[in-house]
């Protein structure tokens, strides 16, 4: 529902907060009985593309010409004969893997041109479950759990993580780094500092952070706050 043109969504030079009331759906090439909400891409200056794919039952997404990462937010899909449910994910090399929904489903999708290294073989693909991934911490902060969905190996030029904050937990520092982020709030909420602005955020929101965007998050409320985070990684800054 729209209230006199008000929205929490904000677009500034170094960040975008995109809230569900402003989402616009449009199919992308290769989609059948599916549609996309594009969150970030070259049009905003990003070196990656991120969208939410929404599938009807039996909806499909054809392989991408780029490497692709998919994380199932809800429902379930099949990729290369494997069924992925909520919290499951796959990394797919360029040209690999038709994605087919076995029931209505929503998935976070990242696509990015691969930055090859001469002495490192690219990944042949991987499938995993968030629930099976080991927990790590930021520094020794026990109230924020990090699950790295992609191994920290030179074959990969980006990382995907799920961060879970206990209510009241906050990043130990304001971060300013060359890497970009694409972020989907999966649960809970809190206050996100982006640049020199502080925003209330909640499940369903998307955030794009450009290189060097000052960033900080503190979780509020009675349930843990969780987000899925893209970050470019292990390549020389260009
Ligand atoms: O790893 C990160 O850059 C992460 N801590 N950033 C963030 O959550 N905004
Ligand atoms: Mn960061």
């Amino acid at each position: 529902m729209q209230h006199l043109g008000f929205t929490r969504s904000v677009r500034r030079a170094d960040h975008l907060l995109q809230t569900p009331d402003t989402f616009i759906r449009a199919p992308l090439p290769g989609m059948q009985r599916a549609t996309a909400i594009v969150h970030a891409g070259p049009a905003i200056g990003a070196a990656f593309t991120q969208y939410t794919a929404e599938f009807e039952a039996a909806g499909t997404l054809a392989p991408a010409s780029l490497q692709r990462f998919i994380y199932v937010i809800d429902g379930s899909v099949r990729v290369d004969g494997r069924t992925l449910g909520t919290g499951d994910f796959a990394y797919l090399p360029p040209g690999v893997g038709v994605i087919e929904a076995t029931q209505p489903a929503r998935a976070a999708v990242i696509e990015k041109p691969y930055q090859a290294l001469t002495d490192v073989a690219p990944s042949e693909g991987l499938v995993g479950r968030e629930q099976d991934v080991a927990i790590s911490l930021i520094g020794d902060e026990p109230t924020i759990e990090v699950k790295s969905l992609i191994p920290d190996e030179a074959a990969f030029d980006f990382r995907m993580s799920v961060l879970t904050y206990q209510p009241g937990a906050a990043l130990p520092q304001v971060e300013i780094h060359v890497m970009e982020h694409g972020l989907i709030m999966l649960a809970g909420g809190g206050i996100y500092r982006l640049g020199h602005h502080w925003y209330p955020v909640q499940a369903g929101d998307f955030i794009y952070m450009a290189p060097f965007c000052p960033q900080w998050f503190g979780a509020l409320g009675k349930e843990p706050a969780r987000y899925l985070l893209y970050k470019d990684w292990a390549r020389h800054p260009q």
Side-chain angles (χ1 to χ4, degrees), residues 140-177:
D140 56 1
E141 176 54 64
T143 56
I144 307 173
E145 293 180 354
V146 180
K147 289 193 169 195
S148 298
L149 309 185
I150 289 185
D152 188 5
E153 293 169 5
F156 297 97
D157 63 2
F158 67 98
R159 306 191 79 174
M160 296 298 304
S161 324
V162 175
L163 279 71
T164 303
Y165 294 68
Q166 293 307 311
L171 279 176
Q173 65 182 119
V174 177
E175 298 177 9
I176 302 181
H177 50 63

PDB file of all heavy atoms in Angstrom, residues 140-177:
ATOM      1  N   ASP A 140      36.423 -11.744  17.785  1.00  0.00           N
ATOM      2  CA  ASP A 140      35.993 -12.676  18.834  1.00  0.00           C
ATOM      3  C   ASP A 140      34.591 -12.313  19.316  1.00  0.00           C
ATOM      4  O   ASP A 140      34.223 -12.583  20.441  1.00  0.00           O
ATOM      5  CB  ASP A 140      36.991 -12.694  19.992  1.00  0.00           C
ATOM      6  CG  ASP A 140      37.209 -11.298  20.555  1.00  0.00           C
ATOM      7  OD1 ASP A 140      36.564 -10.356  20.048  1.00  0.00           O
ATOM      8  OD2 ASP A 140      38.026 -11.153  21.479  1.00  0.00           O
ATOM      9  N   GLU A 141      33.813 -11.681  18.422  1.00  0.00           N
ATOM     10  CA  GLU A 141      32.467 -11.236  18.761  1.00  0.00           C
ATOM     11  C   GLU A 141      31.506 -12.437  18.714  1.00  0.00           C
ATOM     12  O   GLU A 141      31.165 -12.911  17.627  1.00  0.00           O
ATOM     13  CB  GLU A 141      32.053 -10.158  17.728  1.00  0.00           C
ATOM     14  CG  GLU A 141      30.648  -9.652  17.871  1.00  0.00           C
ATOM     15  CD  GLU A 141      30.359  -9.157  19.269  1.00  0.00           C
ATOM     16  OE1 GLU A 141      30.981  -8.185  19.690  1.00  0.00           O
ATOM     17  OE2 GLU A 141      29.515  -9.789  19.942  1.00  0.00           O
ATOM     18  N   PRO A 142      31.072 -12.961  19.878  1.00  0.00           N
ATOM     19  CA  PRO A 142      30.276 -14.191  19.859  1.00  0.00           C
ATOM     20  C   PRO A 142      28.810 -13.988  19.457  1.00  0.00           C
ATOM     21  O   PRO A 142      28.100 -14.956  19.227  1.00  0.00           O
ATOM     22  CB  PRO A 142      30.357 -14.670  21.313  1.00  0.00           C
ATOM     23  CG  PRO A 142      30.556 -13.424  22.108  1.00  0.00           C
ATOM     24  CD  PRO A 142      31.299 -12.463  21.245  1.00  0.00           C
ATOM     25  N   THR A 143      28.362 -12.736  19.359  1.00  0.00           N
ATOM     26  CA  THR A 143      26.941 -12.493  19.085  1.00  0.00           C
ATOM     27  C   THR A 143      26.637 -12.360  17.591  1.00  0.00           C
ATOM     28  O   THR A 143      25.501 -12.147  17.203  1.00  0.00           O
ATOM     29  CB  THR A 143      26.458 -11.219  19.814  1.00  0.00           C
ATOM     30  OG1 THR A 143      27.302 -10.135  19.409  1.00  0.00           O
ATOM     31  CG2 THR A 143      26.526 -11.400  21.319  1.00  0.00           C
ATOM     32  N   ILE A 144      27.678 -12.475  16.755  1.00  0.00           N
ATOM     33  CA  ILE A 144      27.459 -12.455  15.297  1.00  0.00           C
ATOM     34  C   ILE A 144      28.074 -13.723  14.713  1.00  0.00           C
ATOM     35  O   ILE A 144      29.280 -13.954  14.861  1.00  0.00           O
ATOM     36  CB  ILE A 144      28.111 -11.234  14.616  1.00  0.00           C
ATOM     37  CG1 ILE A 144      27.676  -9.935  15.290  1.00  0.00           C
ATOM     38  CG2 ILE A 144      27.760 -11.213  13.135  1.00  0.00           C
ATOM     39  CD1 ILE A 144      28.415  -8.704  14.771  1.00  0.00           C
ATOM     40  N   GLU A 145      27.261 -14.552  14.081  1.00  0.00           N
ATOM     41  CA  GLU A 145      27.748 -15.783  13.449  1.00  0.00           C
ATOM     42  C   GLU A 145      27.818 -15.588  11.938  1.00  0.00           C
ATOM     43  O   GLU A 145      26.878 -15.040  11.335  1.00  0.00           O
ATOM     44  CB  GLU A 145      26.804 -16.944  13.753  1.00  0.00           C
ATOM     45  CG  GLU A 145      26.800 -17.332  15.219  1.00  0.00           C
ATOM     46  CD  GLU A 145      25.862 -18.489  15.501  1.00  0.00           C
ATOM     47  OE1 GLU A 145      25.113 -18.929  14.592  1.00  0.00           O
ATOM     48  OE2 GLU A 145      25.874 -18.950  16.647  1.00  0.00           O
ATOM     49  N   VAL A 146      28.908 -16.049  11.351  1.00  0.00           N
ATOM     50  CA  VAL A 146      29.092 -15.931   9.906  1.00  0.00           C
ATOM     51  C   VAL A 146      29.182 -17.326   9.312  1.00  0.00           C
ATOM     52  O   VAL A 146      29.946 -18.164   9.808  1.00  0.00           O
ATOM     53  CB  VAL A 146      30.379 -15.148   9.571  1.00  0.00           C
ATOM     54  CG1 VAL A 146      30.553 -15.026   8.061  1.00  0.00           C
ATOM     55  CG2 VAL A 146      30.372 -13.780  10.231  1.00  0.00           C
ATOM     56  N   LYS A 147      28.404 -17.574   8.277  1.00  0.00           N
ATOM     57  CA  LYS A 147      28.532 -18.822   7.525  1.00  0.00           C
ATOM     58  C   LYS A 147      28.979 -18.464   6.108  1.00  0.00           C
ATOM     59  O   LYS A 147      28.239 -17.765   5.401  1.00  0.00           O
ATOM     60  CB  LYS A 147      27.201 -19.577   7.493  1.00  0.00           C
ATOM     61  CG  LYS A 147      26.839 -20.180   8.849  1.00  0.00           C
ATOM     62  CD  LYS A 147      25.716 -21.170   8.718  1.00  0.00           C
ATOM     63  CE  LYS A 147      25.545 -21.959  10.017  1.00  0.00           C
ATOM     64  NZ  LYS A 147      24.723 -23.159   9.828  1.00  0.00           N
ATOM     65  N   SER A 148      30.160 -18.909   5.729  1.00  0.00           N
ATOM     66  CA  SER A 148      30.680 -18.642   4.382  1.00  0.00           C
ATOM     67  C   SER A 148      30.223 -19.764   3.467  1.00  0.00           C
ATOM     68  O   SER A 148      30.647 -20.906   3.629  1.00  0.00           O
ATOM     69  CB  SER A 148      32.204 -18.566   4.413  1.00  0.00           C
ATOM     70  OG  SER A 148      32.593 -17.501   5.244  1.00  0.00           O
ATOM     71  N   LEU A 149      29.367 -19.443   2.524  1.00  0.00           N
ATOM     72  CA  LEU A 149      28.766 -20.475   1.674  1.00  0.00           C
ATOM     73  C   LEU A 149      29.714 -20.897   0.559  1.00  0.00           C
ATOM     74  O   LEU A 149      29.597 -22.003   0.036  1.00  0.00           O
ATOM     75  CB  LEU A 149      27.444 -19.968   1.088  1.00  0.00           C
ATOM     76  CG  LEU A 149      26.425 -19.378   2.098  1.00  0.00           C
ATOM     77  CD1 LEU A 149      25.116 -19.038   1.390  1.00  0.00           C
ATOM     78  CD2 LEU A 149      26.172 -20.313   3.271  1.00  0.00           C
ATOM     79  N   ILE A 150      30.627 -20.006   0.196  1.00  0.00           N
ATOM     80  CA  ILE A 150      31.604 -20.315  -0.853  1.00  0.00           C
ATOM     81  C   ILE A 150      32.964 -20.462  -0.183  1.00  0.00           C
ATOM     82  O   ILE A 150      33.338 -19.616   0.626  1.00  0.00           O
ATOM     83  CB  ILE A 150      31.630 -19.188  -1.914  1.00  0.00           C
ATOM     84  CG1 ILE A 150      30.338 -19.230  -2.732  1.00  0.00           C
ATOM     85  CG2 ILE A 150      32.851 -19.281  -2.808  1.00  0.00           C
ATOM     86  CD1 ILE A 150      30.294 -18.257  -3.880  1.00  0.00           C
ATOM     87  N   PRO A 151      33.719 -21.542  -0.489  1.00  0.00           N
ATOM     88  CA  PRO A 151      35.025 -21.727   0.160  1.00  0.00           C
ATOM     89  C   PRO A 151      35.964 -20.568  -0.141  1.00  0.00           C
ATOM     90  O   PRO A 151      35.894 -19.982  -1.225  1.00  0.00           O
ATOM     91  CB  PRO A 151      35.554 -23.029  -0.463  1.00  0.00           C
ATOM     92  CG  PRO A 151      34.462 -23.617  -1.256  1.00  0.00           C
ATOM     93  CD  PRO A 151      33.395 -22.588  -1.471  1.00  0.00           C
ATOM     94  N   ASP A 152      36.819 -20.264   0.814  1.00  0.00           N
ATOM     95  CA  ASP A 152      37.795 -19.178   0.640  1.00  0.00           C
ATOM     96  C   ASP A 152      38.963 -19.711  -0.175  1.00  0.00           C
ATOM     97  O   ASP A 152      40.035 -19.978   0.350  1.00  0.00           O
ATOM     98  CB  ASP A 152      38.238 -18.670   2.017  1.00  0.00           C
ATOM     99  CG  ASP A 152      39.086 -17.414   1.893  1.00  0.00           C
ATOM    100  OD1 ASP A 152      39.244 -16.911   0.759  1.00  0.00           O
ATOM    101  OD2 ASP A 152      39.601 -16.947   2.921  1.00  0.00           O
ATOM    102  N   GLU A 153      38.712 -19.927  -1.472  1.00  0.00           N
ATOM    103  CA  GLU A 153      39.729 -20.479  -2.377  1.00  0.00           C
ATOM    104  C   GLU A 153      39.883 -19.541  -3.561  1.00  0.00           C
ATOM    105  O   GLU A 153      38.898 -18.924  -3.987  1.00  0.00           O
ATOM    106  CB  GLU A 153      39.283 -21.860  -2.893  1.00  0.00           C
ATOM    107  CG  GLU A 153      39.227 -22.915  -1.794  1.00  0.00           C
ATOM    108  CD  GLU A 153      38.535 -24.198  -2.246  1.00  0.00           C
ATOM    109  OE1 GLU A 153      38.178 -24.302  -3.441  1.00  0.00           O
ATOM    110  OE2 GLU A 153      38.343 -25.079  -1.387  1.00  0.00           O
ATOM    111  N   ALA A 154      41.103 -19.496  -4.104  1.00  0.00           N
ATOM    112  CA  ALA A 154      41.394 -18.549  -5.188  1.00  0.00           C
ATOM    113  C   ALA A 154      40.577 -18.830  -6.447  1.00  0.00           C
ATOM    114  O   ALA A 154      40.460 -17.971  -7.323  1.00  0.00           O
ATOM    115  CB  ALA A 154      42.878 -18.581  -5.512  1.00  0.00           C
ATOM    116  N   ALA A 155      39.996 -20.032  -6.550  1.00  0.00           N
ATOM    117  CA  ALA A 155      39.160 -20.342  -7.719  1.00  0.00           C
ATOM    118  C   ALA A 155      37.927 -19.430  -7.773  1.00  0.00           C
ATOM    119  O   ALA A 155      37.359 -19.233  -8.848  1.00  0.00           O
ATOM    120  CB  ALA A 155      38.717 -21.804  -7.663  1.00  0.00           C
ATOM    121  N   PHE A 156      37.515 -18.902  -6.636  1.00  0.00           N
ATOM    122  CA  PHE A 156      36.290 -18.080  -6.585  1.00  0.00           C
ATOM    123  C   PHE A 156      36.671 -16.599  -6.502  1.00  0.00           C
ATOM    124  O   PHE A 156      37.564 -16.224  -5.734  1.00  0.00           O
ATOM    125  CB  PHE A 156      35.436 -18.463  -5.371  1.00  0.00           C
ATOM    126  CG  PHE A 156      34.951 -19.878  -5.421  1.00  0.00           C
ATOM    127  CD1 PHE A 156      35.628 -20.887  -4.754  1.00  0.00           C
ATOM    128  CD2 PHE A 156      33.821 -20.218  -6.154  1.00  0.00           C
ATOM    129  CE1 PHE A 156      35.186 -22.201  -4.803  1.00  0.00           C
ATOM    130  CE2 PHE A 156      33.369 -21.528  -6.219  1.00  0.00           C
ATOM    131  CZ  PHE A 156      34.058 -22.530  -5.542  1.00  0.00           C
ATOM    132  N   ASP A 157      35.968 -15.765  -7.276  1.00  0.00           N
ATOM    133  CA  ASP A 157      36.269 -14.328  -7.238  1.00  0.00           C
ATOM    134  C   ASP A 157      35.216 -13.544  -6.461  1.00  0.00           C
ATOM    135  O   ASP A 157      35.142 -12.327  -6.558  1.00  0.00           O
ATOM    136  CB  ASP A 157      36.453 -13.773  -8.656  1.00  0.00           C
ATOM    137  CG  ASP A 157      35.207 -13.874  -9.521  1.00  0.00           C
ATOM    138  OD1 ASP A 157      34.152 -14.349  -9.031  1.00  0.00           O
ATOM    139  OD2 ASP A 157      35.280 -13.463 -10.700  1.00  0.00           O
ATOM    140  N   PHE A 158      34.360 -14.259  -5.732  1.00  0.00           N
ATOM    141  CA  PHE A 158      33.427 -13.579  -4.831  1.00  0.00           C
ATOM    142  C   PHE A 158      33.088 -14.509  -3.687  1.00  0.00           C
ATOM    143  O   PHE A 158      33.401 -15.710  -3.724  1.00  0.00           O
ATOM    144  CB  PHE A 158      32.163 -13.101  -5.565  1.00  0.00           C
ATOM    145  CG  PHE A 158      31.242 -14.184  -6.079  1.00  0.00           C
ATOM    146  CD1 PHE A 158      30.126 -14.563  -5.356  1.00  0.00           C
ATOM    147  CD2 PHE A 158      31.481 -14.796  -7.299  1.00  0.00           C
ATOM    148  CE1 PHE A 158      29.260 -15.536  -5.826  1.00  0.00           C
ATOM    149  CE2 PHE A 158      30.625 -15.778  -7.787  1.00  0.00           C
ATOM    150  CZ  PHE A 158      29.507 -16.150  -7.050  1.00  0.00           C
ATOM    151  N   ARG A 159      32.504 -13.950  -2.643  1.00  0.00           N
ATOM    152  CA  ARG A 159      32.076 -14.722  -1.480  1.00  0.00           C
ATOM    153  C   ARG A 159      30.598 -14.497  -1.264  1.00  0.00           C
ATOM    154  O   ARG A 159      30.071 -13.422  -1.584  1.00  0.00           O
ATOM    155  CB  ARG A 159      32.783 -14.254  -0.205  1.00  0.00           C
ATOM    156  CG  ARG A 159      34.265 -14.232  -0.301  1.00  0.00           C
ATOM    157  CD  ARG A 159      34.876 -14.027   1.063  1.00  0.00           C
ATOM    158  NE  ARG A 159      34.865 -15.302   1.776  1.00  0.00           N
ATOM    159  CZ  ARG A 159      35.437 -15.511   2.957  1.00  0.00           C
ATOM    160  NH1 ARG A 159      36.023 -14.526   3.585  1.00  0.00           N
ATOM    161  NH2 ARG A 159      35.405 -16.694   3.524  1.00  0.00           N
ATOM    162  N   MET A 160      29.948 -15.498  -0.705  1.00  0.00           N
ATOM    163  CA  MET A 160      28.565 -15.346  -0.257  1.00  0.00           C
ATOM    164  C   MET A 160      28.526 -15.821   1.187  1.00  0.00           C
ATOM    165  O   MET A 160      29.020 -16.910   1.488  1.00  0.00           O
ATOM    166  CB  MET A 160      27.613 -16.213  -1.102  1.00  0.00           C
ATOM    167  CG  MET A 160      27.519 -15.839  -2.562  1.00  0.00           C
ATOM    168  SD  MET A 160      26.891 -14.204  -2.935  1.00  0.00           S
ATOM    169  CE  MET A 160      25.309 -14.189  -2.118  1.00  0.00           C
ATOM    170  N   SER A 161      27.956 -15.023   2.079  1.00  0.00           N
ATOM    171  CA  SER A 161      27.887 -15.394   3.485  1.00  0.00           C
ATOM    172  C   SER A 161      26.488 -15.125   4.010  1.00  0.00           C
ATOM    173  O   SER A 161      25.777 -14.264   3.484  1.00  0.00           O
ATOM    174  CB  SER A 161      28.848 -14.571   4.339  1.00  0.00           C
ATOM    175  OG  SER A 161      30.024 -14.307   3.648  1.00  0.00           O
ATOM    176  N   VAL A 162      26.146 -15.861   5.067  1.00  0.00           N
ATOM    177  CA  VAL A 162      24.951 -15.526   5.846  1.00  0.00           C
ATOM    178  C   VAL A 162      25.431 -15.085   7.217  1.00  0.00           C
ATOM    179  O   VAL A 162      26.176 -15.809   7.890  1.00  0.00           O
ATOM    180  CB  VAL A 162      23.984 -16.717   5.968  1.00  0.00           C
ATOM    181  CG1 VAL A 162      22.807 -16.349   6.884  1.00  0.00           C
ATOM    182  CG2 VAL A 162      23.464 -17.127   4.589  1.00  0.00           C
ATOM    183  N   LEU A 163      25.064 -13.858   7.610  1.00  0.00           N
ATOM    184  CA  LEU A 163      25.423 -13.319   8.922  1.00  0.00           C
ATOM    185  C   LEU A 163      24.182 -13.343   9.803  1.00  0.00           C
ATOM    186  O   LEU A 163      23.107 -12.893   9.373  1.00  0.00           O
ATOM    187  CB  LEU A 163      25.938 -11.882   8.810  1.00  0.00           C
ATOM    188  CG  LEU A 163      27.413 -11.723   8.384  1.00  0.00           C
ATOM    189  CD1 LEU A 163      27.616 -12.098   6.937  1.00  0.00           C
ATOM    190  CD2 LEU A 163      27.893 -10.293   8.624  1.00  0.00           C
ATOM    191  N   THR A 164      24.335 -13.858  11.018  1.00  0.00           N
ATOM    192  CA  THR A 164      23.224 -13.904  11.972  1.00  0.00           C
ATOM    193  C   THR A 164      23.619 -13.124  13.217  1.00  0.00           C
ATOM    194  O   THR A 164      24.642 -13.429  13.852  1.00  0.00           O
ATOM    195  CB  THR A 164      22.890 -15.366  12.351  1.00  0.00           C
ATOM    196  OG1 THR A 164      22.581 -16.081  11.147  1.00  0.00           O
ATOM    197  CG2 THR A 164      21.692 -15.429  13.297  1.00  0.00           C
ATOM    198  N   TYR A 165      22.834 -12.106  13.548  1.00  0.00           N
ATOM    199  CA  TYR A 165      23.098 -11.227  14.696  1.00  0.00           C
ATOM    200  C   TYR A 165      22.068 -11.504  15.772  1.00  0.00           C
ATOM    201  O   TYR A 165      20.855 -11.467  15.500  1.00  0.00           O
ATOM    202  CB  TYR A 165      22.924  -9.753  14.316  1.00  0.00           C
ATOM    203  CG  TYR A 165      23.896  -9.188  13.313  1.00  0.00           C
ATOM    204  CD1 TYR A 165      23.887  -9.599  11.982  1.00  0.00           C
ATOM    205  CD2 TYR A 165      24.791  -8.189  13.685  1.00  0.00           C
ATOM    206  CE1 TYR A 165      24.760  -9.044  11.057  1.00  0.00           C
ATOM    207  CE2 TYR A 165      25.658  -7.624  12.759  1.00  0.00           C
ATOM    208  CZ  TYR A 165      25.635  -8.051  11.460  1.00  0.00           C
ATOM    209  OH  TYR A 165      26.491  -7.507  10.538  1.00  0.00           O
ATOM    210  N   GLN A 166      22.540 -11.729  16.999  1.00  0.00           N
ATOM    211  CA  GLN A 166      21.606 -11.766  18.117  1.00  0.00           C
ATOM    212  C   GLN A 166      21.053 -10.349  18.328  1.00  0.00           C
ATOM    213  O   GLN A 166      21.733  -9.370  18.017  1.00  0.00           O
ATOM    214  CB  GLN A 166      22.303 -12.269  19.385  1.00  0.00           C
ATOM    215  CG  GLN A 166      22.729 -13.724  19.299  1.00  0.00           C
ATOM    216  CD  GLN A 166      21.576 -14.647  18.906  1.00  0.00           C
ATOM    217  OE1 GLN A 166      20.499 -14.578  19.494  1.00  0.00           O
ATOM    218  NE2 GLN A 166      21.789 -15.484  17.902  1.00  0.00           N
ATOM    219  N   PRO A 167      19.810 -10.237  18.856  1.00  0.00           N
ATOM    220  CA  PRO A 167      19.278  -8.887  19.102  1.00  0.00           C
ATOM    221  C   PRO A 167      20.271  -8.094  19.959  1.00  0.00           C
ATOM    222  O   PRO A 167      20.785  -8.611  20.950  1.00  0.00           O
ATOM    223  CB  PRO A 167      17.974  -9.153  19.865  1.00  0.00           C
ATOM    224  CG  PRO A 167      17.562 -10.529  19.436  1.00  0.00           C
ATOM    225  CD  PRO A 167      18.851 -11.291  19.230  1.00  0.00           C
ATOM    226  N   GLY A 168      20.569  -6.879  19.548  1.00  0.00           N
ATOM    227  CA  GLY A 168      21.525  -6.036  20.276  1.00  0.00           C
ATOM    228  C   GLY A 168      22.949  -6.157  19.771  1.00  0.00           C
ATOM    229  O   GLY A 168      23.792  -5.324  20.086  1.00  0.00           O
ATOM    230  N   ALA A 169      23.251  -7.190  18.949  1.00  0.00           N
ATOM    231  CA  ALA A 169      24.607  -7.343  18.399  1.00  0.00           C
ATOM    232  C   ALA A 169      24.855  -6.292  17.322  1.00  0.00           C
ATOM    233  O   ALA A 169      23.924  -5.889  16.614  1.00  0.00           O
ATOM    234  CB  ALA A 169      24.782  -8.741  17.817  1.00  0.00           C
ATOM    235  N   ALA A 170      26.099  -5.881  17.209  1.00  0.00           N
ATOM    236  CA  ALA A 170      26.435  -4.865  16.201  1.00  0.00           C
ATOM    237  C   ALA A 170      27.817  -5.141  15.640  1.00  0.00           C
ATOM    238  O   ALA A 170      28.692  -5.679  16.339  1.00  0.00           O
ATOM    239  CB  ALA A 170      26.408  -3.471  16.830  1.00  0.00           C
ATOM    240  N   LEU A 171      28.034  -4.775  14.365  1.00  0.00           N
ATOM    241  CA  LEU A 171      29.372  -4.911  13.782  1.00  0.00           C
ATOM    242  C   LEU A 171      30.372  -4.170  14.666  1.00  0.00           C
ATOM    243  O   LEU A 171      30.086  -3.057  15.130  1.00  0.00           O
ATOM    244  CB  LEU A 171      29.401  -4.335  12.363  1.00  0.00           C
ATOM    245  CG  LEU A 171      28.860  -5.231  11.243  1.00  0.00           C
ATOM    246  CD1 LEU A 171      28.862  -4.485   9.914  1.00  0.00           C
ATOM    247  CD2 LEU A 171      29.648  -6.536  11.130  1.00  0.00           C
ATOM    248  N   PRO A 172      31.546  -4.760  14.907  1.00  0.00           N
ATOM    249  CA  PRO A 172      32.488  -4.148  15.848  1.00  0.00           C
ATOM    250  C   PRO A 172      33.138  -2.873  15.325  1.00  0.00           C
ATOM    251  O   PRO A 172      33.795  -2.165  16.070  1.00  0.00           O
ATOM    252  CB  PRO A 172      33.535  -5.254  16.071  1.00  0.00           C
ATOM    253  CG  PRO A 172      33.377  -6.207  14.937  1.00  0.00           C
ATOM    254  CD  PRO A 172      31.965  -6.096  14.467  1.00  0.00           C
ATOM    255  N   GLN A 173      33.000  -2.587  14.040  1.00  0.00           N
ATOM    256  CA  GLN A 173      33.577  -1.357  13.498  1.00  0.00           C
ATOM    257  C   GLN A 173      32.704  -0.865  12.339  1.00  0.00           C
ATOM    258  O   GLN A 173      31.977  -1.643  11.723  1.00  0.00           O
ATOM    259  CB  GLN A 173      34.997  -1.607  12.975  1.00  0.00           C
ATOM    260  CG  GLN A 173      35.024  -2.554  11.798  1.00  0.00           C
ATOM    261  CD  GLN A 173      36.421  -2.856  11.278  1.00  0.00           C
ATOM    262  OE1 GLN A 173      36.850  -3.995  11.278  1.00  0.00           O
ATOM    263  NE2 GLN A 173      37.117  -1.847  10.815  1.00  0.00           N
ATOM    264  N   VAL A 174      32.810   0.423  12.049  1.00  0.00           N
ATOM    265  CA  VAL A 174      32.285   0.923  10.782  1.00  0.00           C
ATOM    266  C   VAL A 174      33.272   0.468   9.731  1.00  0.00           C
ATOM    267  O   VAL A 174      34.475   0.697   9.869  1.00  0.00           O
ATOM    268  CB  VAL A 174      32.165   2.463  10.786  1.00  0.00           C
ATOM    269  CG1 VAL A 174      31.671   2.969   9.424  1.00  0.00           C
ATOM    270  CG2 VAL A 174      31.216   2.914  11.890  1.00  0.00           C
ATOM    271  N   GLU A 175      32.776  -0.243   8.709  1.00  0.00           N
ATOM    272  CA  GLU A 175      33.670  -0.753   7.662  1.00  0.00           C
ATOM    273  C   GLU A 175      33.681   0.215   6.472  1.00  0.00           C
ATOM    274  O   GLU A 175      32.621   0.714   6.086  1.00  0.00           O
ATOM    275  CB  GLU A 175      33.163  -2.107   7.150  1.00  0.00           C
ATOM    276  CG  GLU A 175      33.126  -3.207   8.189  1.00  0.00           C
ATOM    277  CD  GLU A 175      32.542  -4.503   7.614  1.00  0.00           C
ATOM    278  OE1 GLU A 175      32.327  -4.599   6.389  1.00  0.00           O
ATOM    279  OE2 GLU A 175      32.295  -5.419   8.412  1.00  0.00           O
ATOM    280  N   ILE A 176      34.860   0.411   5.910  1.00  0.00           N
ATOM    281  CA  ILE A 176      34.977   1.122   4.626  1.00  0.00           C
ATOM    282  C   ILE A 176      35.966   0.303   3.803  1.00  0.00           C
ATOM    283  O   ILE A 176      37.148   0.231   4.151  1.00  0.00           O
ATOM    284  CB  ILE A 176      35.486   2.565   4.806  1.00  0.00           C
ATOM    285  CG1 ILE A 176      34.555   3.353   5.746  1.00  0.00           C
ATOM    286  CG2 ILE A 176      35.585   3.260   3.452  1.00  0.00           C
ATOM    287  CD1 ILE A 176      34.965   4.809   5.971  1.00  0.00           C
ATOM    288  N   HIS A 177      35.460  -0.357   2.752  1.00  0.00           N
ATOM    289  CA  HIS A 177      36.351  -1.228   1.972  1.00  0.00           C
ATOM    290  C   HIS A 177      36.042  -1.144   0.488  1.00  0.00           C
ATOM    291  O   HIS A 177      34.949  -0.739   0.082  1.00  0.00           O
ATOM    292  CB  HIS A 177      36.296  -2.673   2.492  1.00  0.00           C
ATOM    293  CG  HIS A 177      34.929  -3.255   2.669  1.00  0.00           C
ATOM    294  ND1 HIS A 177      34.063  -3.449   1.626  1.00  0.00           N
ATOM    295  CD2 HIS A 177      34.275  -3.699   3.784  1.00  0.00           C
ATOM    296  CE1 HIS A 177      32.942  -4.014   2.080  1.00  0.00           C
ATOM    297  NE2 HIS A 177      33.037  -4.148   3.396  1.00  0.00           N
TER     298      HIS A 177
END
